[in-house]
Amino acid sequence: LEQGLRLLGIDAVLGVDPKQPQTLLEVPSADLLDSLLEVFRQQKKPADVVLVFDKSGSMAGQPLQQAKAGAKAFLNALSDRDIVTLIFFDSQIYPAVGPFDLKTHRAELLARIDGTIASGGTALYDATLTARGLLSDASASHRHHITAVVVMTDGKDEHSKSTREQVEAQVRVEPGQTAPVRIFTIAYGGNAQQEVLGAIAEAAEGSSAQGDVSSIVQVYQDIASFF
């Protein structure tokens, strides 16, 4: 290794000692790592999340089944201290399920996801603003929570009363300010408008991801790591 580093021009002349490190720390055991992660989960800020789920007719079949699996993986990755609200939408926005703390209502929320049936069109913009409004109303009482909306859709908005421009204007964070509610978007499948979803997430200081039937579970799990 030392000889190889010298061949690359990495030596003491450049301020790098190729003989180091001579003291290596032992890799913690799996049990210790699990314990550290559990301590982190208990000490981190609790999250208040609204999960927005597209149940439009284009989701029917395997896309819906995998999307359900992804959403359930997302809930299972969150802490018992976190609070979750579900909003399902197609051409219309359905009444919110929650907010529920996961310690006592996780099974109920998982069951509601399992029972979803695909039908109707897509009212993405209205659903996004509805979800954000729920958290904006709760922000005063949850000042020490992480507040975020996670939106998954597989298509183009065709049924909202709101426009894309209105959504971006309402969620946009001005320079120097912190987003009261961050928005994370998931473009599911080839017909989802990644550019639109990315713009909404960027305006709200969130992030956007893209997934398909084979990767949607991992996409949801990756987003859960933000909380």
Side-chain angles (χ1 to χ4, degrees):
L1 175 60
E2 183 178 343
Q3 183 178 3
L5 290 172
R6 287 203 178 101
L7 290 175
L8 292 172
I10 300 174
D11 54 30
V13 175
L14 298 176
V16 178
D17 186 351
K19 296 181 180 179
Q20 298 299 330
Q22 295 184 3
T23 302
L24 299 178
L25 297 177
E26 183 180 351
V27 177
S29 67
D31 288 342
L32 177 58
L33 289 174
D34 287 340
S35 298
L36 291 172
L37 287 172
E38 183 58 31
V39 170
F40 169 75
R41 294 188 188 101
Q42 294 301 320
Q43 297 301 317
K44 76 175 184 66
K45 287 184 177 181
D48 194 346
V49 181
V50 179
L51 179 58
V52 183
F53 192 98
D54 181 353
K55 59 172 286 299
S56 57
S58 57
M59 293 282 292
Q62 189 179 14
L64 180 62
Q65 295 307 312
Q66 287 301 105
K68 288 180 181 181
K72 290 190 293 183
F74 174 78
L75 292 188
N76 283 327
L78 298 180
S79 166
D80 282 349
R81 298 167 63 233
D82 296 332
I83 298 171
V84 173
T85 303
L86 296 179
I87 290 183
F88 297 99
F89 75 96
D90 45 44
S91 307
Q92 60 182 310
I93 316 303
Y94 293 86
V97 181
F100 291 143
D101 65 273
L102 289 178
K103 183 176 182 178
T104 56
H105 291 87
R106 193 188 301 266
E108 179 179 349
L109 291 169
L110 292 172
R112 293 298 293 265
I113 291 172
D114 259 336
T116 304
I117 298 173
S119 64
T122 305
L124 167 67
Y125 302 147
D126 287 350
T128 302
L129 290 181
T130 297
R132 185 180 185 276
L134 291 177
L135 287 179
S136 296
D137 293 342
S139 60
S141 58
H142 292 167
R143 287 191 301 272
H144 301 296
H145 287 207
I146 299 168
T147 52
V149 172
V150 178
V151 184
M152 180 277 297
T153 184
D154 75 332
K156 177 182 178 181
D157 189 305
E158 296 175 335
H159 294 88
S160 287
K161 296 178 181 178
S162 308
T163 66
R164 169 186 172 179
E165 291 73 22
Q166 289 173 326
V167 174
E168 290 186 35
Q170 290 194 42
V171 307
R172 190 176 306 282
V173 180
E174 298 302 324
Q177 295 184 348
T178 301
V181 178
R182 298 172 71 190
I183 297 178
F184 298 81
T185 59
I186 301 173
Y188 185 30
N191 293 324
Q193 294 186 302
Q194 174 70 19
E195 185 268 333
V196 172
L197 294 168
I200 292 172
E202 182 178 1
E205 289 192 343
S207 67
S208 183
Q210 190 165 13
D212 54 25
V213 169
S214 65
S215 64
I216 190 65
V217 172
Q218 186 61 53
V219 168
Y220 267 113
Q221 290 175 327
D222 290 344
I223 289 178
S225 67
F226 285 97
F227 312 117

